[in-house]
Amino acid sequence: MAEIKWTTADPKGVLTGAHYIDGNHAACEGALAAGCRFAAGYPITPSTEVVERFAARIPLVGGMFIQMEDEIASSICLQGAVWAGLKAMTVTSGPGFSLMMEHIGFAAMTETPCVFVNVQRGGPSTGTPTLPAQGDMQQARWGSHGDYETILISPSSPQECFEFIIDAFNLAEIYRVPVMFMMDECVGHMTEKVVIPEPEKIKVVERRWTDKKPGEYLPYQPDPEDLVPYMVKAGDGYRFHITGLTHDERGYPAATDVEIHNNLVRRLCEKITKNAHKIWKWEEKDTDDCDILILSYGISARVALRGIELAKERKGIKVGLFRLIVVWPMPEQRIIELAEKVKAIIVPELNIRAQVAREIERIVKGRCPVIPLGHAGAGVHNPEDIYNAIVEAAK
Amino acid sequence: MSTTLRENPVEQFLRTDRMPHIWCPGCGIGTSVNCFARAVLECGIDLDKLCIVSGIGCTGRVAGYLRLDSFHTTHGRAIPFATGLKLANPDLHVVVYSGDGDLAAIGGNHLIHAARRNIDITVICVNNFNYGMTGGQVAPTTHHEKVATTTPYGDPEYPFNLPDLAASCGAVFVARWTTYHVVQLTKTLVKALNKKGFSFVEILAPCPTLYLRRNKLGTSVDLMKYFKEKSVIKHGANTKEVGLETYDKEIIVGEFVDIDKPDYLDNYNEIMKKRLGDKFQPWGR
């Protein structure tokens, strides 16, 4: 039986009360509430406020922030801090996220629990630094070379930036994966009321420390139930070895052993796919008897609310909203159930390559039409466009 | 007559269950590890608190053979990983042990910034003048005009003067030895391990399989003779003058820099205390 130890937030990191702050500031406060005590970052628009707030707050909380020389350094520096025993994160956007890819793979391979925050902007390349997009959704899943699975979470408001980044840290610890917290410029720079609860109301997961002694402990021996191994940290006498090479349960390189490689890579994927039902998180609105389903995430799901309202007001069309909060892994069973009932699923998102819609198509397998409603970013959808797509699909 | 078998004193630092190692006969990396293990024996540091971080390459494999908390990271990124490890738990002694290609080419940016910050880590750079693991390509340390697989007609570039690079960026301890100078190297490593702040030790080492063979420089024994004959010990030498532009130049070895100044955490804690007063709890002190 996998042992997950839940506790409540360390009061030092919790700024209880009502605040009027943007999503970037809220994400930082959420990270501190979740127990994050180390961040390494490099300034990049539109994510910079996260590192600025971290730099200002962390000395008062009992932690460390360092601005590194680039995103490559940031994305591995934080992993050193994790192996020293702290919860750690980095934050970036667009080009910086591209530079971090190798170390997302390193975290996946070494099973280093950590959080990568991506405040998405338009690309490719320098793109639209000050404007939103949701164009990194596939990169966040597959961007590093090789096979691995990770978890993607997408908030729609500053309040959710606070709340769901706590989920991101908890899931990172439970499954020992890098969790991608996929914000966008719009949510990052949107200022709203954010209510931070008392520390005892915030649930956080402790690291999966081993209860074995040095000599008995195997760094990559998985828990038989959830396939996740238990951790140690540097300095405790375990004399353990960590490598990005394919490794056996001792953590020793086995880079030419087909069987060990196969077992390791399958386990890295299966610890997410087999536990997916424990990771899923979504929200439904008016899905009981809808004819058209809008399936979306992040800022696009929020914009879609107005399009849905218009369709109801003007045409009386019954439209439901299915908002993915954990975008990956996806709640496939529930999506299939709805696909069997509705006339069509429309997927508004701020990319034109149907990055999430193509996953929905794969899950729905023709049970109903899946209509990607792409927008290249640098803005959000006009609710009229969502309304028009609904009217068209309802014909 | 009875024979007493004595255990090699460095064996306790080695993961003997991983032997034999991957290094070629005549390679200098093993010699450097032997010196390091002997330095560890002498340095007085609690071994449970001593961490080794390597990047990728032949020397990058050192972390895997040392029975310490050890991290085999990504290519070029051992230093920023070590920075995170050290800053998150300042009680740890963190050593980066990697090669010239890893630390000076792909990782060059991290080397200069860690030295500038004066992060309290020790960087050991085994310089064998080329990329060994991938089969002998040109490195930023390859002698001018020498041959590598990616400069088959000779290297048109000039090599880094690594001690000068580290020193000019702010390293508080900078030294160079060759794998011929095992006694001196061991003593220097003891000093580097106990030095507060960013310390950098370059170890010149033979790569017989690739660099020596392709450049017709003989065997490792020939290179040992070359190290012996060409080396001039100059402690405190001006690092501007220790470059190894060409193969026939004299090799200046010794301890070049040994200065004291506050490390990153000293400065961090002092500044925070000044601005935040009692609201700030000194980090790791």
Side-chain angles (χ1 to χ4, degrees):
Chain A
M1 185 70 182
E3 218 178 299
I4 309 299
K5 288 195 183 117
W6 288 88
T7 180
T8 56
D10 168 9
K12 272 194 298 204
V14 184
L15 215 56
T16 302
H19 306 267
Y20 186 61
I21 51 177
D22 72 15
N24 283 347
H25 287 261
C28 176
E29 288 304 327
L32 293 173
C36 178
R37 292 294 178 268
F38 189 94
Y42 185 83
I44 186 166
T45 306
S47 74
T48 309
E49 295 82 1
V50 185
V51 289
E52 287 176 338
R53 190 171 181 110
F54 224 103
R57 287 269 289 136
I58 199 75
L60 302 167
V61 170
M64 171 65 74
F65 166 77
I66 184 165
Q67 180 174 317
M68 294 300 283
E69 51 273 18
D70 58 25
E71 289 90 345
I72 299 173
S74 305
S75 58
I76 193 75
C77 182
L78 79 94
Q79 297 188 47
V82 171
W83 285 102
L86 300 185
K87 291 187 180 179
M89 63 173 262
T90 189
V91 54
T92 189
S93 182
F97 197 54
S98 292
L99 286 176
M100 290 182 178
M101 285 301 131
E102 185 183 6
H103 290 142
I104 290 172
F106 185 76
M109 187 58 138
T110 55
E111 301 183 69
T112 302
C114 54
V115 174
F116 285 75
V117 178
N118 179 359
V119 186
Q120 293 173 90
R121 65 193 232 185
S125 191
T126 314
T128 63
T130 60
L131 297 168
Q134 293 172 318
D136 309 343
M137 300 305 287
Q138 287 290 353
Q139 182 191 24
R141 282 182 70 197
W142 307 117
S144 199
H145 57 279
D147 281 325
Y148 63 97
E149 290 287 353
T150 181
I151 297 170
L152 271 59
I153 300 179
S154 186
S156 288
S157 67
Q159 181 71 40
E160 290 189 353
C161 289
F162 173 83
E163 288 174 13
F164 296 158
I165 203 169
I166 298 171
D167 293 343
F169 275 94
N170 288 342
L171 289 167
E173 295 294 338
I174 294 172
Y175 297 105
R176 287 189 58 183
V177 285
V179 173
M180 307 293 124
F181 196 63
M182 303 298 284
M183 295 166 57
D184 61 75
E185 185 278 330
C186 206
V187 167
H189 285 158
M190 174 192 292
T191 301
E192 287 183 332
K193 185 177 175 184
V194 173
V195 179
I196 299 180
E198 286 83 27
E200 57 271 23
K201 291 189 180 140
I202 299 170
K203 287 175 76 187
V204 300
V205 171
E206 287 181 12
R207 186 147 296 166
R208 295 174 66 131
W209 300 118
T210 185
D211 54 13
K212 296 209 164 123
K213 295 188 169 45
E216 303 166 3
Y217 170 71
L218 288 171
Y220 290 101
Q221 185 178 46
D223 182 280
E225 188 199 316
D226 68 3
L227 308 177
V228 183
Y230 291 85
M231 266 185 98
V232 292
K233 65 181 196 297
D236 288 351
Y238 283 86
R239 310 277 181 97
F240 62 101
H241 184 58
I242 298 300
T243 176
L245 284 168
T246 286
H247 44 268
D248 60 21
E249 291 191 349
R250 296 173 298 174
Y252 287 178
T256 54
D257 189 312
V258 178
E259 196 186 332
I260 288 176
H261 179 70
N262 182 55
N263 290 343
L264 173 61
V265 174
R266 282 184 191 279
R267 183 176 63 74
L268 293 180
C269 295
E270 285 173 1
K271 72 176 178 178
I272 301 301
T273 56
K274 289 199 169 162
N275 295 307
H277 59 285
K278 293 185 263 179
I279 302 171
W280 295 334
K281 186 165 184 163
W282 75 92
E283 185 187 77
E284 293 184 31
K285 191 167 180 289
D286 302 330
T287 50
D288 283 348
D289 61 343
C290 65
D291 294 321
I292 303 294
L293 185 70
I294 300 278
L295 193 154
S296 191
Y297 55 94
I299 190 62
S300 298
R302 198 163 167 181
V303 172
L305 285 171
R306 180 64 187 145
I308 293 168
E309 258 177 27
L310 292 173
K312 281 178 187 163
E313 283 167 20
R314 292 177 187 165
K315 301 272 185 183
I317 304 170
K318 290 178 181 169
V319 189
L321 176 68
F322 189 102
R323 179 166 73 96
L324 291 165
I325 293 166
V326 171
V327 179
W328 189 260
M330 270 184 201
E332 305 200 0
Q333 285 161 312
R334 181 60 185 150
I335 293 170
I336 289 169
E337 274 171 31
L338 290 169
E340 279 168 350
K341 294 199 303 190
V342 300
K343 212 168 160 185
I345 297 176
I346 301 171
V347 187
E349 53 183 329
L350 296 182
N351 64 73
I352 58 167
R353 301 299 294 165
Q355 292 190 21
V356 167
R358 68 176 60 211
E359 278 303 318
I360 309 300
E361 272 181 355
R362 187 185 60 77
I363 292 163
V364 167
K365 287 196 176 69
R367 288 178 177 89
C368 74
V370 174
I371 302 162
L373 190 61
H375 181 302
V380 296
H381 288 83
N382 184 333
E384 290 290 339
D385 295 337
I386 294 171
Y387 163 77
N388 289 334
I390 294 168
V391 172
E392 189 63 30
K395 271 182 191 165
Chain B
M1 233 177 91
S2 68
T3 334
T4 313
L5 276 178
R6 285 199 306 157
E7 198 188 325
N8 187 324
V10 304
E11 211 167 285
Q12 58 178 308
F13 305 114
L14 301 178
R15 290 195 169 109
T16 46
D17 51 345
R18 290 212 57 221
M19 301 292 161
H21 57 66
I22 62 159
W23 299 312
C24 304
C27 170
I29 299 170
T31 310
S32 81
V33 171
N34 200 342
C35 295
F36 177 74
R38 281 163 204 275
V40 166
L41 207 60
E42 282 177 41
C43 71
I45 294 169
D46 175 359
L47 298 183
D48 284 346
K49 302 291 178 198
L50 184 60
C51 302
I52 296 287
V53 186
S54 288
I56 298 295
C58 291
T59 314
R61 291 304 186 94
V62 168
Y65 295 124
L66 290 173
R67 194 182 294 284
L68 297 165
D69 287 341
S70 57
F71 301 91
H72 182 220
T73 64
T74 52
H75 195 20
R77 318 305 172 192
I79 288 177
F81 185 97
T83 299
L85 199 59
K86 178 67 189 180
L87 291 183
N89 181 0
D91 287 342
L92 300 173
H93 289 262
V94 181
V95 176
V96 169
Y97 206 130
S98 222
D100 48 313
D102 188 77
L103 289 167
I106 186 167
N109 197 29
H110 311 308
L111 174 68
I112 61 177
H113 285 282
R116 176 182 63 78
R117 292 185 183 107
N118 200 19
I119 296 282
D120 182 17
I121 60 174
T122 299
V123 174
I124 299 170
C125 176
V126 177
N127 176 5
N128 61 7
F129 313 106
N130 75 155
Y131 285 79
M133 182 71 83
T134 44
Q137 293 75 33
V138 73
T141 45
T142 302
H143 299 97
H144 183 59
E145 283 197 64
K146 283 283 175 271
V147 166
T149 59
T150 45
T151 49
Y153 310 109
D155 180 11
E157 300 179 14
Y158 298 103
F160 264 135
N161 173 347
L162 290 177
D164 191 47
L165 182 67
S168 61
C169 292
V172 293
F173 184 87
V174 179
R176 173 199 279 156
W177 294 105
T178 78
T179 50
Y180 171 75
H181 301 91
V182 288
V183 176
Q184 297 93 326
L185 172 59
T186 304
K187 284 182 181 160
T188 290
L189 288 172
V190 173
K191 278 192 197 168
L193 284 167
N194 283 310
K195 183 79 188 178
K196 191 155 86 80
F198 187 88
S199 52
F200 181 83
V201 180
E202 183 185 29
I203 306 173
L204 305 182
C207 176
T209 310
L210 302 164
Y211 197 66
L212 302 188
R213 180 171 59 85
R214 289 223 171 78
N215 286 292
K216 300 187 170 53
L217 297 172
T219 63
S220 284
V221 176
D222 294 319
L223 204 75
M224 283 300 178
K225 284 182 192 151
Y226 160 80
F227 282 157
K228 183 185 171 190
E229 284 156 17
K230 285 277 178 190
S231 293
V232 181
I233 299 174
K234 281 188 195 167
H235 294 301
N238 179 353
T239 55
K240 295 267 172 265
E241 289 157 14
V242 307
L244 297 169
E245 292 78 12
T246 54
Y247 185 75
D248 52 10
K249 210 181 154 188
E250 70 172 8
I251 303 168
I252 300 173
V253 294
E255 292 171 3
F256 305 138
V257 177
D258 189 356
I259 57 169
D260 291 311
K261 67 177 180 183
D263 74 356
Y264 176 87
L265 267 184
D266 291 336
N267 287 329
Y268 176 87
N269 280 329
E270 196 191 318
I271 288 169
M272 292 300 165
K273 200 78 199 162
K274 216 187 289 177
R275 297 288 152 79
L276 299 171
D278 291 340
K279 286 187 282 180
F280 175 70
Q281 286 290 108
W283 182 250
R285 291 284 191 255

